[in-house]
Protein backbone atom coordinates (compact mmCIF):
# COMPACT_ATOMS: atom_id res chain seq x y z
CA UNK A 1 0.00 0.00 0.00
CA UNK A 2 2.84 2.41 0.69
CA UNK A 3 4.22 2.46 -2.85
CA UNK A 4 7.54 4.20 -3.38
CA UNK A 5 6.89 7.33 -1.30
CA UNK A 6 4.73 6.16 1.61
CA UNK A 7 1.06 6.25 2.47
CA UNK A 8 -0.86 9.14 4.03
CA UNK A 9 -1.98 8.73 7.63
CA UNK A 10 -5.59 9.30 6.57
CA UNK A 11 -5.47 6.34 4.17
CA UNK A 12 -4.06 4.06 6.86
CA UNK A 13 -6.82 5.23 9.22
CA UNK A 14 -9.51 4.51 6.63
CA UNK A 15 -8.05 1.09 5.85
CA UNK A 16 -7.92 -0.06 9.48
CA UNK A 17 -11.14 1.78 10.38
CA UNK A 18 -9.61 3.95 13.08
CA UNK A 19 -9.20 7.68 13.52
CA UNK A 20 -6.31 9.66 12.15
CA UNK A 21 -5.43 10.58 15.73
CA UNK A 22 -5.15 6.89 16.65
CA UNK A 23 -2.86 6.20 13.68
CA UNK A 24 -0.75 9.24 14.56
CA UNK A 25 -0.31 8.10 18.18
CA UNK A 26 0.50 4.52 17.30
CA UNK A 27 2.77 5.39 14.38
CA UNK A 28 4.78 7.69 16.66
CA UNK A 29 5.56 4.66 18.82
CA UNK A 30 6.60 2.66 15.75
CA UNK A 31 8.80 5.52 14.53
CA UNK A 32 10.48 5.53 17.95
CA UNK A 33 11.15 1.81 17.60
CA UNK A 34 12.66 2.35 14.15
CA UNK A 35 9.94 0.37 12.38
CA UNK A 36 8.32 3.27 10.52
CA UNK A 37 9.41 6.63 9.22
CA UNK A 38 7.32 9.76 8.85
CA UNK A 39 7.83 11.94 5.79
CA UNK A 40 6.29 15.12 4.44
CA UNK A 41 4.29 14.80 1.25
CA UNK A 42 6.19 16.80 -1.39
CA UNK A 43 2.93 17.51 -3.24
CA UNK A 44 1.05 18.65 -0.12
CA UNK A 45 3.13 19.69 2.87
CA UNK A 46 0.14 19.32 5.20
CA UNK A 47 0.08 15.55 4.72
CA UNK A 48 2.26 13.13 6.64
CA UNK A 49 3.33 9.96 4.87
CA UNK A 50 4.23 6.73 6.62
CA UNK A 51 6.75 4.27 5.24
CA UNK A 52 8.06 1.01 6.65
CA UNK A 53 11.81 1.01 7.32
CA UNK A 54 14.16 -1.85 6.46
CA UNK A 55 14.07 -2.87 10.12
CA UNK A 56 10.26 -2.82 10.04
CA UNK A 57 10.18 -4.88 6.88
CA UNK A 58 12.47 -7.52 8.40
CA UNK A 59 10.27 -7.62 11.52
CA UNK A 60 7.18 -8.20 9.37
CA UNK A 61 8.89 -10.99 7.43
CA UNK A 62 9.86 -12.67 10.72
CA UNK A 63 6.34 -12.22 12.13
CA UNK A 64 4.47 -13.48 9.05
CA UNK A 65 4.76 -17.23 9.77
CA UNK A 66 3.12 -16.81 13.19
CA UNK A 67 0.32 -14.66 11.84
Amino acid sequence: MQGDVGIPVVEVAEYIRRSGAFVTLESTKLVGAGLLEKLSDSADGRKVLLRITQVGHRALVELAPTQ
Side-chain angles (χ1 to χ4, degrees):
M1 288 180 66
Q2 73 179 4
D4 293 334
V5 296
I7 183 170
V9 168
V10 68
E11 288 185 31
V12 174
E14 289 172 0
Y15 185 78
I16 65 171
R17 297 182 182 163
R18 297 289 183 260
S19 70
F22 174 83
V23 172
T24 298
L25 287 171
E26 295 302 314
S27 65
T28 298
K29 296 173 190 175
L30 296 172
V31 168
L35 302 172
L36 278 182
E37 58 184 346
K38 287 185 178 182
L39 309 162
S40 293
D41 186 339
S42 61
D44 184 349
R46 298 170 296 171
K47 288 184 182 177
V48 173
L49 302 174
L50 300 174
R51 186 166 59 191
I52 299 171
T53 64
Q54 291 286 353
V55 172
H57 185 264
R58 283 194 297 271
L60 288 172
V61 168
E62 291 174 11
L63 181 64
T66 61
Q67 290 293 314

